[in-house]
Amino acid sequence: MEASQAALVELAEKIEQLAQFQDKIEFPAGIPRIWEAFLRDARRLIEIESGALFTVDESTQEFVLTQAAPESQQPAFQKELDAQIEVGTFSVILKRRQPSITPSLAFRKELSVVMLPLATVKRTLGMVMVLTPFQESMVTHENMRLLSVLTRQCSLVMENSILYEKLRRDKESLERANEKILYLSQRDALTGCFNRGYMNDQLPREIRRALRYRRALSLALCDLDHFKTINDSFGHQCGDRVLTLFVESLNELIRTDSDWLARFGGEEFLLVLPE
């Protein structure tokens, strides 16, 4: 009786330690760090010769080989995945969402493959494959229960990491989109210089700044003479090219850190020269 109680206490302690898996990983953590921590804990439960992590690609929903230890075993693990899919074992284990041990189909005959589905209530994240010696006594029912606990904890950490990475990408995409919208809202579509809307907003600020600090401010209104003749004689595409070259020429002459050029309208431009 005492031996049974001691075994139960030991099992409970192991489960509690595995349940603290996420506390061992500093958030946010990438997939390689999560995989490394998972493999380290799994090796404390069963003998592992090598292992691989397959994750679900969000766009194709296919299982992609993401990590392997050692890396040289990547081709063999890919063959193992393909073989397990072909015989139907992979889909059964994935549907059950429970760890399972099965004979290896691509590695040596004396090795077994332990497949550990990574899944949460909402989604399937991937599959872990680890190679262990074939002897059934090496992987007990208790080991499989503990691996199940570890796998669930790893799945939660991995899901949080994936969600964090997605939010970060979405935030960066939104920031880039906002920057582009702001740029386009302030720029003339043809020449790339500032447009009249920017001029109407920024010019009063330049004037107030010059008055407040009693500093010089020069404004130059530039007009291209006989521009209508260019359009009539050579076409509007040629006229557009003239405007673009004119703006490029002016931008090479003015100071990029303080001066700015705005298209006032048509072939008229305003050159703002502080100081």
Side-chain angles (χ1 to χ4, degrees):
M1 181 68 70
E2 291 181 0
S4 299
Q5 289 179 344
L8 286 173
V9 171
E10 183 181 359
L11 177 60
E13 289 178 350
K14 288 181 179 180
I15 292 176
E16 184 178 356
Q17 291 175 0
L18 294 174
Q20 298 172 354
F21 176 79
Q22 55 187 332
D23 297 333
K24 303 175 185 178
I25 302 174
E26 184 179 350
F27 188 81
I31 297 299
R33 188 178 301 176
I34 297 173
W35 165 247
E36 182 181 342
F38 174 85
L39 202 57
R40 185 170 57 249
D41 280 2
R43 281 197 164 108
R44 295 193 181 104
L45 301 175
I46 62 173
E47 182 180 345
I48 295 177
E49 181 175 292
S50 57
L53 169 64
F54 295 86
T55 56
V56 177
D57 184 271
E58 292 184 3
S59 57
T60 63
Q61 294 301 305
E62 294 182 352
F63 284 80
V64 179
L65 180 57
T66 308
Q67 299 287 326
E71 292 185 5
S72 59
Q73 294 280 37
Q74 284 188 359
F77 272 112
Q78 186 63 58
K79 290 181 180 178
E80 183 70 43
L81 175 71
D82 296 338
Q84 295 290 350
I85 291 176
E86 185 175 351
V87 299
T89 309
F90 187 85
S91 60
V92 172
I93 295 174
L94 195 63
K95 186 176 182 179
R96 289 175 54 200
R97 291 191 170 191
Q98 292 294 328
S100 180
I101 184 168
T102 183
S104 171
L105 302 177
F107 290 90
R108 302 192 308 272
K109 292 183 179 181
E110 63 269 20
L111 293 176
S112 297
V113 177
V114 179
M115 285 191 276
L116 309 167
L118 295 171
T120 63
V121 176
K122 298 180 180 179
R123 60 195 294 189
T124 298
L125 303 170
M127 178 77 77
V128 171
M129 285 186 177
V130 294
L131 293 179
T132 188
F134 184 75
Q135 295 91 336
E136 293 184 4
S137 59
M138 299 294 292
V139 183
T140 64
H141 180 65
E142 178 182 314
N143 292 145
M144 296 300 284
R145 287 179 60 190
L146 293 172
L147 283 171
S148 180
V149 173
L150 176 61
T151 303
R152 285 197 297 270
Q153 293 299 312
C154 180
S155 299
L156 293 173
V157 174
M158 190 173 293
E159 183 178 46
N160 289 336
S161 177
I162 291 172
L163 289 174
Y164 174 84
E165 185 63 23
K166 184 179 185 302
L167 288 173
R168 186 187 64 81
R169 290 197 306 267
D170 291 345
K171 181 175 180 292
E172 290 180 352
S173 298
L174 181 60
E175 288 176 349
R176 288 195 297 268
N178 288 335
E179 289 174 358
K180 187 174 182 179
I181 290 172
L182 178 61
Y183 177 87
L184 293 175
S185 68
Q186 295 178 341
R187 297 284 175 168
D188 176 58
L190 174 63
T191 63
C193 69
F194 290 112
N195 56 25
R196 188 163 182 170
Y198 179 86
M199 181 194 73
N200 291 337
D201 181 62
Q202 192 67 20
L203 183 57
R205 297 181 183 180
E206 293 284 5
I207 295 174
R208 288 195 298 269
R209 187 182 297 114
L211 292 173
R212 183 185 305 118
Y213 298 108
R214 299 179 181 276
R215 293 177 177 175
L217 173 65
S218 298
L219 305 177
L221 187 60
C222 310
D223 177 84
L224 297 182
D225 293 337
H226 312 299
F227 184 72
K228 185 177 183 302
T229 304
I230 296 175
N231 282 334
D232 293 342
S233 301
F234 303 102
H236 287 278
Q237 286 186 342
C238 182
D240 290 347
R241 182 60 177 158
V242 169
L243 292 174
T244 303
L245 290 174
F246 173 73
V247 169
E248 290 177 359
S249 299
L250 275 185
N251 282 332
E252 291 177 358
L253 299 175
I254 64 177
R255 299 167 297 178
T256 57
D257 59 340
S258 59
D259 304 341
W260 51 275
L261 176 68
R263 189 177 181 184
F264 189 75
E267 74 278 16
E268 296 179 339
F269 294 85
L270 182 68
L271 195 57
V272 182
L273 308 168
E275 304 290 338

